[in-house]
Amino acid sequence: MARRTPQSSTRSTRQPQPQPLPRTRRTFGDFAKAVLAFLALAVLVVGVPLALASVIGWPLPDEAPSLDMLQREITVDTFLNVLAVVVWFAWAQFTACVLVEVKAALSGVGLPSRVPGAGPSQALARQLVAAVLLLGATAASFSPGLGQLGQQLEGHQQPAAAAAQQTPGLLGQDRAAAQSAASAVAEQAGAQAEQAAAKPSAAKGDTKYYRIQPPEGRHHDSLWEISERHLGDGRRYHEIYQLNKDRVQPDGSRLSEASLIRPGWIMEMPADATGGELVEMPDEAPKVSEELREQIADYAKSGDTATGGGSAAQEQKPDTGATDRDTQQISIPTERPAEQPQVAAPAAEGFSFGLPEALITAPLLAAGLLGALGRRRRAALWQSAMSAVGGRRGMEPPVPAGSAADVQDALLIGADPEGVRLLDRSLRGLAASLADESRPLPTVYAAWLSDGDLHLQLAQPAGEPPAPWQTGQDETFWMLARADGERYGDSEAAAPFPGLVSLGTLDDSRLLLNLEAVPGIVSLSGAAADRDAVFASVAAELATSGWSDRMTVTLVGFGEELTAIAPTRLRHLDGVPALLEMEAETRQRRGALGTAGHDSVLTGRTGPAQHTRWAPHLVLLAAEPTAEEATRLAELAADAPRLGFGYFIGTESGELPGAAWEMEITPEGRLLAPLLGLELDAQRVEAAEQRALVDLFTTADPDHEPEPGAAPPPFLVDVTEQGRPAVYARMVGPYEIIGIDAPDGSRSLLLHEALAQLLLHREGVHVRVLASALWPRGVTEDVRDALVDRLRDWLGTDEDGTPRLTTDEAGRLHLAKSVVSDLDVLRSLYHEATQGRGATDRAVRGRALTDALGLVRGPLLADRPEGRYGWLSHEIVDAQLPLLVADIGLALSAFHLEKERAGKAIEALERALSTAPDDERLWNELLRATHASGDTEALARRAADLVTRSGARGLPPRTEALLDELLPAWRDTASAAG
């Protein structure tokens, strides 16, 4: 963030002077580069043809081609002549490139013509010509500039992320100079505002224009700086943007975002703009070429219907003072993907039912949280499986209610697990390719995800990326198209950039900042509650991200309750004094790197110890530290990128020593960083959503004891003859519906899938969750509602006229009790056998368990079509069903063994194993039942079979101990059988 400076109480009457575009002082090195470039051009353009003429001479035959010529022996001279012809063609092409680039440089406007098939040649010509002209006056107008090189060479190349160069902190005298400049700009802005208010609007014929300058050194022209130079206030850049939005530029493209401008573009300026770089039309403007006058005239015609102007009222932003020209700039890809067809996501306006939109619009965060929640619930199931059979807590996880249910629905709607998988495989694939080439990982400052394409922004050039990655608009940008990324498979490589975390979005582009690579501290200013919402989002995504391995995230002064989300990754400290233990860890990491011979953790991650060392440690400090604490933190952060540390610190004043990147969060949820060229819709998790998330994870914890009466009773059906349902769905095995006619063939798949999800969630399914499950890429509201109507019509009504599908006030769809699945019956029979009448009546227990096991025909939805039912990956029913079947098999086996019916027990266990083949409890009970049968040979075969199935992992310890008891010579018997 730029520094705030209070405005003076008195306005200066001095006319504001336009701020010149910063120019880099020419050094001897620049002069040497220019001389070398001139010599290289001379050798390539003049020396090559002279050498060919003097050494080889005329390479073509002196006679007309004939059939006899093709039959002659190929000699060395023939080969040299053919090679000379190729070189002559290459020289001609390169010379044409040089002429085209020289013409574009001298004219100062427009984009150079592309020489057919001369991508690399034209790139080399452009760099040499630019170097020669660097010391001359024409260099200032060289277009399109090296910043656009990567885009223009190949028309088919995808857009890439924009640049970031090294950022020094604003310390000492630099800070004082920035504050002084901020005061001057504030004074100048006030005077300019008074002048603009008193000055009438200019006539249309006096309209002023500005041509975007090419990049020079590390400086890139921006609307903020243009506004600062020519309007006296960078905050007025919105006026320039509104005047030129969507108007066709000379190169055929349009201005669609305020941060997306290109060299050679023309900007119409507000009437009160001043400065020598402006061009007024229709004046003759003798210093401007005829070509530029024609372009401006054409551009002026395109603005006849444009609205807005210099005097338009603009929303005022906080005074950000002067711009630090050396601060690295992170910008979005210079070309946006073509607009996609209008497809509304399930989060349609007017039908939100109060769900947390912030989580719905955070697909990577939602996917990480949903995956972590599923793992937590599965752990609870398996831990429950080790307890006594019957009535165990955990077989049916608690159903969230209230705000927790809303947050879970938001996660289900917003999650993009495929996007997380694509990002993870792409980054690991890049790391593996670089390791194969014995190349280190580049330092990545940020990543942009735009319509599935991944853009990596490097701190400095790192050479050509390995295929299928491509170089972007210059050597600091690497880009991977979605189609190429989807070809990556799983990789054993370590996660190369685990510190990437989402900060926000700009339209359809999402920014991920690499906190681990920031050259210093990232600071965040704004109201405390707004800062906490951003920090909570960052903490939750880092704790659950799918593109990382091991990691430590330290939360200082906030978020103690958030550690419940990922106790192995998140830790909480009360204050900065406890954090200063990082000094010892920093020294230890520095020494370990030196001992291992690594320059940084990036080189260590590609070595043999990649999975055990160099895990990042990221610190999130929401409250502003004291001056002394800030100084010590700045010292710790000075070498942070090399050591794998990252610091994200909150501040109320907006000033923090050692802050390399400064950001501000507004009450409206905008993340501002003018010095970085960023203005995003911030990704946040508000306090209420944090509490609901913590509740979800806490209640899913295996050791959590629910409050009495907190969980709703399970959905049970009448398992007697009088309880026949109106609609019965068989899902444990092949899927089929009984009781209603089959739907229309074209809609059958969607209707069956929708019904399956409703049957698996008797507590109700939010209509947006259902739509997100059926159409993961989004769907319009009318299509969604039409499907719900068809589903309601298909299911029909009960005898009393009540619809079998209803919608409650919260927007959740509910099935009537007359619509039942075999999974409902299976659960009800098991409950009846273990906790109902079967708990006291042996006959009822045996009949219920036998009937329940008879319902099992295979895995859940065994014949589901490929490409459908992807939402099941968010569910735990695939883990619940095998456990339930195993419990039924174990209970029925115990029932038969009580009467010494070993054969019946073995039959029940074998049937249960067909659905739960990996359940250790079933195999152990099968060994006991076989031993009870007295068949020693059968027991030996069982043991040998178990040894074969276990493979290199070996038998579980409990199974080994059981075999030692039942069959002491099992090892010898198993070896003989093998």
Side-chain angles (χ1 to χ4, degrees):
M1 283 294 302
R3 313 293 188 254
R4 291 189 180 89
T5 305
Q7 290 190 349
S8 175
S9 59
T10 60
R11 301 286 191 185
S12 172
T13 58
R14 182 180 51 191
Q15 290 291 335
Q17 298 297 320
Q19 302 298 312
L21 184 68
R23 304 296 183 191
T24 305
R25 184 181 297 277
R26 306 305 181 198
T27 64
F28 176 77
D30 295 329
F31 179 78
K33 290 178 181 178
V35 172
L36 291 175
F38 175 79
L39 293 176
L41 279 173
V43 170
L44 292 173
V45 176
V46 180
V48 170
L50 291 177
L52 288 172
S54 60
V55 176
I56 297 180
W58 182 253
L60 297 178
D62 296 327
E63 55 184 311
S66 63
L67 182 62
D68 181 61
M69 184 181 297
L70 298 176
Q71 297 175 347
R72 296 177 185 172
E73 181 182 357
I74 298 177
T75 63
V76 174
D77 289 339
T78 304
F79 176 77
L80 291 176
N81 286 335
V82 172
L83 183 61
V85 171
V86 174
V87 175
W88 272 109
F89 275 117
W91 170 84
Q93 186 186 59
F94 178 77
T95 303
C97 294
V98 172
L99 295 176
V100 166
E101 296 299 328
V102 170
K103 177 181 180 298
L106 295 179
S107 66
V109 295
L111 304 176
S113 301
R114 189 189 307 167
V115 178
S121 297
Q122 191 161 4
L124 176 61
R126 181 172 302 150
Q127 295 184 47
L128 293 176
V129 171
V132 172
L133 297 179
L134 187 61
L135 300 181
T138 55
S141 61
F142 187 47
S143 178
L146 298 181
Q148 302 297 319
L149 179 61
Q151 285 179 263
Q152 297 175 29
L153 293 185
E154 298 296 340
H156 65 276
Q157 184 164 311
Q158 297 291 329
Q165 294 88 14
Q166 175 149 356
T167 306
L170 298 177
L171 301 172
Q173 296 179 355
D174 293 338
R175 182 178 298 280
Q179 292 174 344
S180 175
S183 299
V185 170
E187 207 173 284
Q188 188 180 73
Q192 189 66 33
E194 290 181 358
Q195 180 188 15
K199 184 176 180 179
S201 298
K204 181 178 177 180
D206 296 328
T207 305
K208 300 171 184 178
Y209 297 88
Y210 175 84
R211 186 177 60 80
I212 304 301
Q213 299 296 308
E216 184 171 349
R218 293 189 295 177
H219 172 75
H220 294 255
D221 219 347
S222 69
L223 290 187
W224 179 282
E225 294 174 340
I226 295 169
S227 177
E228 192 174 69
R229 292 197 304 272
H230 298 293
L231 299 176
D233 187 354
R235 295 172 298 175
R236 294 182 62 189
Y237 77 93
H238 283 293
E239 300 177 30
I240 306 176
Y241 172 68
Q242 292 299 332
L243 281 172
N244 298 275
K245 183 175 182 292
D246 295 328
R247 291 170 64 178
V248 179
Q249 293 291 337
D251 62 357
S253 54
R254 300 172 185 266
L255 175 66
S256 59
E257 296 296 337
S259 57
L260 292 177
I261 59 175
R262 301 184 193 171
W265 277 10
I266 297 168
M267 295 287 113
E268 181 179 340
M269 302 292 290
D272 59 334
T274 60
E277 296 171 336
L278 299 179
V279 176
E280 292 192 21
M281 295 295 287
D283 294 344
E284 291 297 329
K287 295 183 180 181
V288 179
S289 67
E290 179 64 29
E291 183 179 0
L292 177 55
R293 286 202 297 273
E294 292 177 359
Q295 289 182 350
I296 292 178
D298 293 340
Y299 188 72
K301 295 176 183 177
S302 71
D304 288 343
T305 59
T307 59
S311 60
Q314 299 292 332
E315 180 183 355
Q316 293 298 316
K317 295 184 180 180
D319 183 8
T320 54
T323 301
D324 177 6
R325 308 296 187 188
D326 291 328
T327 299
Q328 55 206 19
Q329 186 171 0
I330 296 179
S331 56
I332 64 178
T334 55
E335 288 185 4
R336 306 302 296 276
E339 290 189 7
Q340 301 299 314
Q342 183 66 28
V343 178
E349 292 185 5
F351 210 81
S352 66
F353 294 104
L355 295 184
E357 297 294 333
L359 292 174
I360 292 176
T361 56
L364 304 184
L365 170 62
L369 288 169
L370 205 57
L373 184 61
R375 290 190 294 272
R376 181 73 57 84
R377 287 172 172 170
R378 285 180 174 85
L381 281 176
W382 285 109
Q383 181 168 317
S384 177
M386 296 298 104
S387 63
V389 175
R392 297 194 316 265
R393 182 189 63 81
M395 173 53 69
E396 297 297 331
V399 177
S403 59
D406 290 340
V407 163
Q408 178 172 273
D409 285 343
L411 296 179
L412 289 167
I413 296 168
D416 182 14
E418 183 58 34
V420 171
R421 189 178 303 110
L422 182 64
L423 176 61
D424 180 50
R425 289 180 173 180
S426 299
L427 295 177
R428 292 181 193 268
L430 173 63
S433 298
L434 290 172
D436 291 342
E437 299 176 8
S438 299
R439 295 171 59 186
L441 292 168
T443 300
V444 171
Y445 277 157
W448 284 92
L449 284 173
S450 185
D451 195 34
D453 296 340
L454 175 60
H455 311 266
L456 293 184
Q457 190 167 327
L458 314 185
Q460 57 190 5
E464 286 293 321
W469 291 77
Q470 306 173 37
T471 302
Q473 67 188 54
D474 67 27
E475 294 178 347
T476 61
F477 309 141
W478 286 3
M479 191 277 295
L480 181 70
R482 181 186 183 100
D484 294 327
E486 288 174 344
R487 289 196 285 269
Y488 274 120
D490 293 330
S491 172
E492 296 297 325
F497 309 116
L500 284 170
V501 64
S502 303
L503 288 187
T505 59
L506 181 60
D507 292 340
D508 58 351
S509 295
R510 181 171 304 276
L511 171 65
L512 289 85
L513 184 67
N514 191 1
L515 289 178
E516 187 188 17
V518 177
I521 291 172
V522 180
S523 69
L524 179 68
S525 62
D530 296 325
R531 294 200 312 266
D532 287 348
V534 174
F535 278 110
S537 170
V538 170
E541 186 165 301
L542 288 173
T544 60
S545 68
W547 54 90
S548 59
D549 297 322
R550 295 172 54 247
M551 180 190 301
T552 299
V553 182
T554 298
L555 311 181
V556 184
F558 85 103
E560 182 176 7
E561 66 284 353
L562 293 177
T563 57
I565 295 176
T568 59
R569 280 199 183 184
L570 294 178
R571 68 166 186 164
H572 174 265
L573 299 178
D574 291 330
V576 178
L579 173 65
L580 294 177
E581 68 185 45
M582 293 285 292
E583 293 177 341
E585 188 176 348
T586 300
R587 289 193 299 270
Q588 181 183 13
R589 179 71 65 93
R590 188 180 290 115
L593 277 175
T595 302
H598 296 309
D599 295 330
S600 73
V601 295
L602 292 179
T603 57
R605 283 180 190 151
T606 57
Q610 57 179 321
H611 290 291
T612 58
R613 303 173 67 181
W614 322 124
H617 188 160
L618 306 176
V619 176
L620 308 182
L621 173 59
E624 183 171 16
T626 65
E628 180 182 355
E629 292 169 344
T631 300
R632 294 182 65 181
L633 288 172
E635 294 172 354
L636 284 174
D639 201 21
R642 191 175 70 88
L643 302 177
F645 297 118
Y647 295 86
F648 193 17
I649 300 179
T651 172
E652 295 180 4
S653 63
E655 299 182 2
L656 197 67
W661 292 342
E662 298 175 315
M663 302 179 183
E664 178 185 4
I665 179 66
T666 70
E668 297 75 25
R670 299 288 289 172
L671 190 66
L672 309 178
L675 300 183
L676 299 179
L678 294 178
E679 185 172 346
L680 309 171
D681 290 322
Q683 181 171 295
R684 302 179 297 171
V685 179
E686 303 292 349
E689 296 161 0
Q690 295 176 39
R691 290 191 294 270
L693 279 173
V694 171
D695 184 47
L696 278 175
F697 279 86
T698 302
T699 55
D701 193 281
D703 299 323
H704 174 71
E705 289 294 338
E707 298 179 4
F715 177 77
L716 301 176
V717 300
D718 185 355
V719 295
T720 66
E721 286 294 327
Q722 293 74 27
R724 288 184 176 275
V727 179
Y728 182 63
R730 304 181 71 188
M731 303 170 63
V732 185
Y735 188 15
E736 59 180 306
I737 309 294
I738 301 171
I740 53 177
D741 295 333
D744 179 84
S746 61
R747 299 186 178 97
S748 177
L749 287 178
L750 279 175
L751 291 173
H752 276 76
E753 186 173 355
L755 179 57
Q757 188 176 43
L758 291 168
L759 286 166
L760 292 177
H761 291 277
R762 304 302 308 210
E763 73 278 8
V765 177
H766 199 287
V767 66
R768 294 175 64 182
V769 174
L770 179 66
S772 177
L774 299 180
W775 295 282
R777 296 182 179 272
V779 66
T780 55
E781 186 175 328
D782 58 336
V783 173
R784 177 197 66 193
D785 293 343
L787 176 83
V788 173
D789 291 339
R790 292 190 187 98
L791 181 60
R792 184 177 289 110
D793 293 340
W794 179 42
L795 292 176
T797 61
D798 286 331
E799 293 181 357
D800 60 359
T802 304
R804 292 173 181 149
L805 178 64
T806 58
T807 306
D808 64 16
E809 294 180 354
R812 289 184 172 83
L813 300 168
H814 296 269
L815 289 174
K817 292 184 178 181
S818 59
V819 182
V820 173
S821 73
D822 54 356
L823 185 57
D824 297 327
V825 177
L826 191 69
R827 289 167 172 161
S828 299
L829 286 170
Y830 179 66
H831 183 275
E832 178 76 0
T834 57
Q835 300 180 56
R837 290 182 301 156
T840 56
D841 189 327
R842 174 180 170 81
V844 172
R845 181 168 71 254
R847 185 169 60 253
L849 291 174
T850 302
D851 291 345
L853 199 57
L855 292 174
V856 179
R857 300 174 298 123
L860 186 73
L861 300 169
D863 58 351
R864 56 182 182 253
E866 186 177 357
R868 304 299 311 177
Y869 296 85
W871 49 271
L872 280 173
S873 62
H874 299 319
E875 308 281 350
I876 63 169
V877 65
D878 279 337
Q880 286 177 296
L881 179 60
L883 286 176
L884 178 60
V885 172
D887 285 346
I888 294 172
L890 291 170
L892 187 56
S893 172
F895 173 82
H896 288 305
L897 288 176
E898 288 176 1
K899 295 296 184 179
E900 298 182 353
R901 295 196 291 263
K904 291 286 187 179
I906 292 173
E907 181 182 346
L909 292 169
E910 288 179 335
R911 182 156 191 175
L913 277 168
S914 64
T915 298
D918 299 323
D919 197 306
E920 177 189 352
R921 299 170 302 156
L922 288 175
W923 285 104
N924 291 347
E925 195 63 25
L926 182 61
L927 291 174
R928 291 190 180 95
T930 305
H931 180 266
S933 69
D935 191 340
T936 306
E937 293 183 0
L939 182 61
R941 289 196 299 270
R942 300 278 189 201
D945 189 21
L946 269 175
V947 171
T948 302
R949 288 176 57 86
S950 62
R953 294 176 303 172
L955 292 176
R958 293 183 183 183
T959 304
E960 284 194 3
L962 179 62
L963 282 174
D964 287 339
E965 175 188 350
L966 302 180
L967 189 67
W970 69 272
R971 290 179 173 85
D972 297 336
T973 305
S975 300

